[in-house]
Every structure is written in structure tokens, then in C-alpha cells.
């Protein structure tokens, strides 16, 4: 009998046009958050959920799909750290984009994944489609836009591997994804639907995002959310805050950073439990706080704690958070009961931490994503 495989679907893409829209974002991505039953008043979309079991989770599906909604693009990473973009002598071309990173990450860890999204009908778009194919990612849901180009992001690397980004979007192909282009049947078959917030910035992609999430929720799919704040891409800070929070309460699983906590709470202390709890909602099943090399914190209604990370020499932190997400979702897609068993959840998070750690040892996101064997080997060596 054929074995079941975990499957991920990711939706989105990013493009750059010849008309330049430059935007910079600081890339120091640590995190801090907690879980609690209290909630803050947050504007939200109204979704109806069904097929919930006694534990509040959707009843077990026959398949183990993870559907992600977001962007796919080309990162240009400098060959030498510590220089400005103008001073960098050369750049390494690397496929990326958070949802695509997660899709490839799950596939490379032995799961089955697919990407649903839009890229430009250009050489970069076709290159990204081929990369998904090479990594055993289903790309049947990928769309190509003849009028917009595939996005590019130039990355500045500090000496410690942390980043700043420069984007060109005017507009990018992912921004033009339409609701009619979605494969809703694929989404409804998922066990987990994972997404970010970039796809909420402009129409028609915003409507496509909302329709995809509603279809998933109505089908009893677990929703996973990584806000992945890219402030310069939003019209204003307030629109970013409102957009990110508009879908906050519908998520079952959230991964967040301390930077995002400060932003969403308008400058409050991300290490203060009371501050973080303002972002909690009874709908949430798991809140994850990534802390870079320090590991992560986890919060459910029943328990919370910290799992230490692996210490490595960081070359490029691009994609580390996405590798972490791929690591934990690949485990949850196989068995959602991890959310009720702290010991097993901690083991899954140890695996996810190792995924993130190994990714920072190489340049670029997708090229650096580890295999399952590499992760287990790293964990064994760290214990030894």
C-alpha cells in the first residue's frame, strides 16, 4: 500500500519591472510571543469553520497537504558580506520568496509539496517553475503573467549574515493573481494552509488571498500564518498593521518575531508577557516565537516553553525562518496531535530549529534548504 506523504501548497510570486520602485527593510528576524486565552480587539474577516473534532482541531483528513499562499522571486545575494549594494562586486542568483521556500523546504524534508501562484512570463519565471519541478514541488497551480515580470530582490548581507532588502515592484506578477485563477479543489484537500501578509497589500491578489483562506477554513483546513513583515512594500505603517491584523484571529498556528510584535503593538515591549498576550486569541492552537540561534518559544492553551537552537556560523540568514516553518509544518502535516503532546511537539521543534540553523550556513534561501538526513545528522552531532 502506498505510503502517505505530507504535501504543501504555496501560493504567490513577486516581480520586478523595469520601472524601479526601491524599498529597504531591515532583516534582523528574531522573535518573541506567547499564547493565552485573552485577546485584543483586532479587525478580522469572518470565516466559517467546519468539521472540528472534540479537541478543536479539524477532523483528520486522508491526505497531508500543506497549502501556502505568498510570493516567489529571485534573490540576488552578494558574494561578499559587509558591503553596500553599490560596493558589492558580484551577486549570486538564488530563487526565493517565503511561501516557495516553505514548499521546497517541505519537499526536501521528504514531504510532498505544491506551489500555487503567479510569476512573470519571462526567463526568471520559467526558471522558478523549473526549480520547483527539480525539487519535486507540484507546480500545476503556477500561473504566468505576460504583462508583468518576475520579482527580483537585492540583498545586502552584514558581516553577521543578517540582511537588508531592496525590492522592485511596479507591479510584480504576484500582485496580479486573480481569484478565478485559484485551484480551490487543491486548497480544500489540504491539511494545513500556510500564508503570509504580502499578498494582502494590493488587488487583485488580496481578494485571491481572502478567497483561498476562506475556502480552506470552510473545508476544515488548519490555517498557519507567518506575517513576514516587509514594511516598505505597504502604502503606510498603519495599512500594514491593519492588513496583517485583519486575518489574525482566523489562524490556528502563528509564527511571529519580536520585531513584528513591537510593530503590531505600536512599540510595546515584545518580551513582556502581558504585551504579547494582547495578540493571542482563543482560535489560536499554537503560537511560535523564533529567536534565531537561540531557538524558539512555543505557546498553546495547555503548555508553553523554549527549545534551544543549534549554534552555527551564519553566512546568510535569508530563508532561515522559512526553513523553520517547513520543518514544523512537515511534522504537523503528518500528525496534528503533536499540538496536544508537549514532548512530541518539543521534538518536532528541535527538528525545525535544526532546519533553520543549517539554512544560514549557505547563501540564498532555496539553495540552502536542508534534507531530512542532513537535519538528523546535525541533531546527532549537536548531542554528541
Amino acid at each position: 500500500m502506498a505510503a502517505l506523504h505530507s504535501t504543501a501548497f504555496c501560493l504567490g510570486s513577486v516581480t520586478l519591472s523595469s520601472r524601479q520602485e526601491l524599498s529597504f527593510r531591515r532583516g534582523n528576524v528574531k522573535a518573541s510571543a506567547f499564547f493565552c486565552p485573552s485577546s485584543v480587539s483586532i479587525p478580522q474577516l469572518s470565516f466559517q469553520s467546519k468539521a472540528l473534532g472534540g479537541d478543536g482541531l479539524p477532523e483528520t483528513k486522508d491526505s497531508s497537504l500543506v497549502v501556502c499562499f505568498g510570493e516567489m522571486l529571485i534573490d540576488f545575494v552578494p558574494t561578499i558580506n559587509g558591503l553596500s549594494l553599490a560596493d558589492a562586486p558580484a551577486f549570486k542568483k538564488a530563487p526565493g520568496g517565503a511561501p516557495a521556500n516553505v514548499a521546497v523546504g517541505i519537499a526536501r524534508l521528504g514531504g510532498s509539496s505544491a506551489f500555487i501562484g503567479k510569476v512573470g512570463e519571462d526567463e526568471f519565471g520559467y526558471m522558478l517553475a523549473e526549480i520547483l519541478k527539480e525539487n519535486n514541488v507540484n507546480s500545476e497551480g503556477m500561473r504566468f503573467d505576460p504583462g508583468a515580470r518576475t520579482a527580483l530582490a537585492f540583498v545586502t548581507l552584514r558581516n553577521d549574515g543578517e540582511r537588508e532588502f531592496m525590492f522592485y515592484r511596479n507591479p510584480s506578477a504576484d500582485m496580479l493573481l486573480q481569484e478565478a485563477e485559484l485551484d480551490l479543489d487543491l486548497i480544500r484537500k489540504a491539511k494545513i494552509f500556510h500564508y503570509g501578509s504580502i499578498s494582502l497589500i494590493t488587488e487583485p491578489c488580496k481578494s485571491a488571498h481572502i478567497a483561498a483562506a476562506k475556502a480552506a477554513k470552510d473545508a476544515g483546513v488548519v490555517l498557519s500564518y507567518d506575517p513576514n513583515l516587509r514594511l516598505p512594500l505597504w502604502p503606510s505603517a498603519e495599512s500594514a498593521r491593519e492588513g496583517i491584523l485583519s486575518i489574525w484571529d482566523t489562524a490556528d498556528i502563528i509564527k511571529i518575531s519580536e520585531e513584528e510584535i513591537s510593530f503590531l503593538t505600536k512599540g510595546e515591549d515584545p518580551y513582556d508577557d502581558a504585551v504579547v498576550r494582547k495578540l493571542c486569541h482563543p482560535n489560536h492552537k499554537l503560537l511560535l516565537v523564533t529567536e534565531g540561534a537561540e531557538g524558539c518559544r512555543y505557546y498553546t492553551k495547555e503548555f508553553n516553553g523554549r527549545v534551544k537552537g543549534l549554534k552555527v556560523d551564519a553566512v546568510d540568514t535569508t530563508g532561515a525562518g522559512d526553513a523553520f516553518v517547513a520543518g514544523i509544518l512537515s511534522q504537523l502535516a503528518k500528525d496534528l496531535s503533536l499540538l496536544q503532546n508537549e514532548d512530541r511537539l518539543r521534538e518536532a521543534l528541535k527538528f525545525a530549529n535544526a532546519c533553520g540553523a543549517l539554512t544560514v550556513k549557505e547563501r540564498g534561501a532555496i539553495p540552502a534548504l536542508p534534507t531530512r538526513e542532513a537535519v538528523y545528522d546535525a541533531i546527532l552531532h549537536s548531542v554528541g
Side-chain angles (χ1 to χ4, degrees), residues 21-53:
E21 180 186 46
L22 305 183
S23 46
F24 294 87
R25 189 190 76 85
R26 204 149 187 84
N28 188 0
V29 182
K30 287 186 178 180
S32 168
F34 302 134
F35 199 99
C36 75
S38 61
S39 64
V40 64
S41 177
I42 292 174
Q44 60 180 317
L45 300 172
S46 178
F47 294 160
Q48 286 187 336
S49 181
K50 67 179 183 179
L52 294 182

Side-chain angles (χ1 to χ4, degrees), residues 141-208:
M142 179 177 271
R143 305 291 182 255
F144 296 84
D145 194 301
R149 296 192 180 278
T150 302
L152 310 179
F154 288 84
V155 185
T156 300
L157 294 179
R158 303 201 309 248
N159 287 326
D160 61 0
E162 290 293 348
R163 313 139 300 153
E164 292 180 352
F165 295 92
M166 182 174 74
F167 300 96
Y168 297 72
R169 311 171 83 227
N170 196 31
S172 53
D174 63 297
M175 299 164 67
L176 304 178
L177 181 71
Q178 300 182 45
E179 180 178 346
E181 296 176 299
L182 296 174
D183 190 334
L184 296 178
D185 287 338
L186 279 178
I187 294 171
R188 294 186 181 108
K189 294 175 184 177
K191 179 168 285 187
I192 301 173
F193 180 71
H194 178 72
Y195 47 86
S197 67
I198 292 176
S199 46
L200 294 171
I201 298 175
T202 58
E203 294 288 2
C205 188
K206 177 180 178 180
S207 292

Side-chain angles (χ1 to χ4, degrees), residues 42-176:
I42 292 174
Q44 60 180 317
L45 300 172
S46 178
F47 294 160
Q48 286 187 336
S49 181
K50 67 179 183 179
L52 294 182
D55 57 5
L57 293 172
E59 293 176 355
T60 303
K61 290 172 173 281
D62 292 334
S63 60
S64 300
L65 312 180
V66 181
V67 180
C68 310
F69 187 101
E71 62 281 351
M72 190 172 193
L73 61 133
I74 306 292
D75 288 323
F76 283 88
V77 184
T79 55
I80 299 177
N81 289 13
L83 297 177
S84 67
L85 290 177
D87 293 331
F91 296 84
K92 175 184 177 181
K93 180 178 61 180
N101 295 343
V102 174
V104 173
I106 290 174
R108 208 167 281 178
L109 292 170
S112 169
S113 63
F115 177 85
I116 302 175
K118 204 169 196 179
V119 293
E121 193 174 287
D122 53 34
E123 289 298 315
F124 283 139
Y126 293 128
M127 185 196 87
L128 292 174
E130 184 62 25
I131 287 171
L132 293 179
K133 181 179 178 181
E134 291 172 355
N135 284 278
N136 298 315
V137 176
N138 184 322
S139 61
E140 292 178 0
M142 179 177 271
R143 305 291 182 255
F144 296 84
D145 194 301
R149 296 192 180 278
T150 302
L152 310 179
F154 288 84
V155 185
T156 300
L157 294 179
R158 303 201 309 248
N159 287 326
D160 61 0
E162 290 293 348
R163 313 139 300 153
E164 292 180 352
F165 295 92
M166 182 174 74
F167 300 96
Y168 297 72
R169 311 171 83 227
N170 196 31
S172 53
D174 63 297
M175 299 164 67
L176 304 178

Side-chain angles (χ1 to χ4, degrees), residues 248-302:
W248 192 264
D249 293 354
T250 64
D252 299 291
I253 300 168
I254 292 181
K255 182 195 82 74
I256 195 171
S257 72
E258 67 210 14
E259 176 187 46
E260 290 159 348
I261 293 171
S262 294
F263 174 73
L264 294 175
T265 59
K266 299 184 178 181
E268 295 189 57
D269 183 2
Y271 298 103
D272 184 337
D273 289 11
V275 170
V276 179
R277 286 177 179 138
K278 293 180 181 180
L279 295 175
C280 296
H281 189 274
N283 288 344
H284 299 160
K285 307 298 187 295
L286 175 66
L287 184 59
L288 294 170
V289 184
T290 52
E291 299 182 323
E294 299 304 315
C296 68
R297 283 179 281 165
Y298 60 90
Y299 299 85
T300 74
K301 291 182 176 70
E302 290 76 30

Side-chain angles (χ1 to χ4, degrees), residues 221-248:
V221 178
V222 172
L223 301 189
S224 168
Y225 187 22
D226 177 1
N228 195 31
L229 177 65
R230 296 290 187 270
L231 189 55
L233 298 182
W234 292 83
S236 67
E238 189 56 35
S239 66
R241 189 176 294 108
E242 291 180 359
I244 290 172
L245 293 177
S246 69
I247 59 173
W248 192 264

